[in-house]
Amino acid sequence: MKIYESSKFHYARRQYRAEVGGFTVLRLTYGRDGGAIKTATAKDDSGTPVYPDQESLILAMEAALEKIEGLGSAMVLRVDSSNRVFGEFTGTGREEDFLCLLGQLAAEIGVMLELEVKQAA
């Protein structure tokens, strides 16, 4: 699992993408006093492709939120400008805390979707 800075969204002050097993699985956008972690729907120009099964990715994020923080029910479904559904968790807090949660979620999603195993094979 790796986290990279990103520049995909013009509106986000700080942003990151989490990659697991050769796929971009999550994004973090962070503003003045809070952030949003969302399932990835499109790759960055220099990033890896997004995980192709969006439904499984969204379900894995919900389960990972529940397992790690008990916040699975706090995830909401949204639709991006290209009409793609994604899961999103938002909140207030420090950027460092959101980065930590991004890493935990990505690692857990990697286990649930067996991405680390697939990459090593």
Side-chain angles (χ1 to χ4, degrees):
M1 188 273 307
K2 295 179 183 174
I3 295 175
Y4 298 97
E5 285 194 45
S6 176
S7 59
K8 181 146 185 74
F9 302 110
H10 67 280
Y11 61 84
R13 188 174 129 225
R14 302 279 295 160
Q15 52 189 301
Y16 305 87
R17 70 178 191 276
E19 296 182 1
V20 181
F23 295 102
T24 298
V25 293
L26 296 174
R27 297 188 177 286
L28 164 62
T29 54
Y30 188 83
R32 192 174 5 179
D33 61 354
I37 297 174
K38 51 196 104 192
T39 56
T41 59
K43 76 176 196 127
D44 288 20
D45 290 338
S46 62
T48 59
V50 297
Y51 187 73
D53 183 346
Q54 287 296 305
E55 185 177 350
S56 293
L57 180 58
I58 290 168
L59 291 171
M61 180 177 167
E62 184 177 33
L65 274 167
E66 187 60 43
K67 182 176 182 181
I68 294 169
E69 297 287 331
L71 296 170
S73 63
M75 187 187 83
V76 296
L77 295 179
R78 299 207 187 280
V79 178
D80 70 11
S81 61
S82 295
N83 209 32
R84 296 174 292 222
V85 177
F86 64 95
E88 181 179 66
F89 168 80
T90 60
T92 58
R94 299 179 319 148
E95 184 174 0
E96 297 80 17
D97 296 333
F98 273 91
L99 278 167
C100 182
L101 181 57
L102 178 68
Q104 291 175 318
L105 290 172
E108 189 62 37
I109 287 169
V111 170
M112 290 179 185
L113 298 177
E114 300 179 341
L115 294 177
E116 295 292 358
V117 173
K118 290 177 185 173
Q119 182 182 33

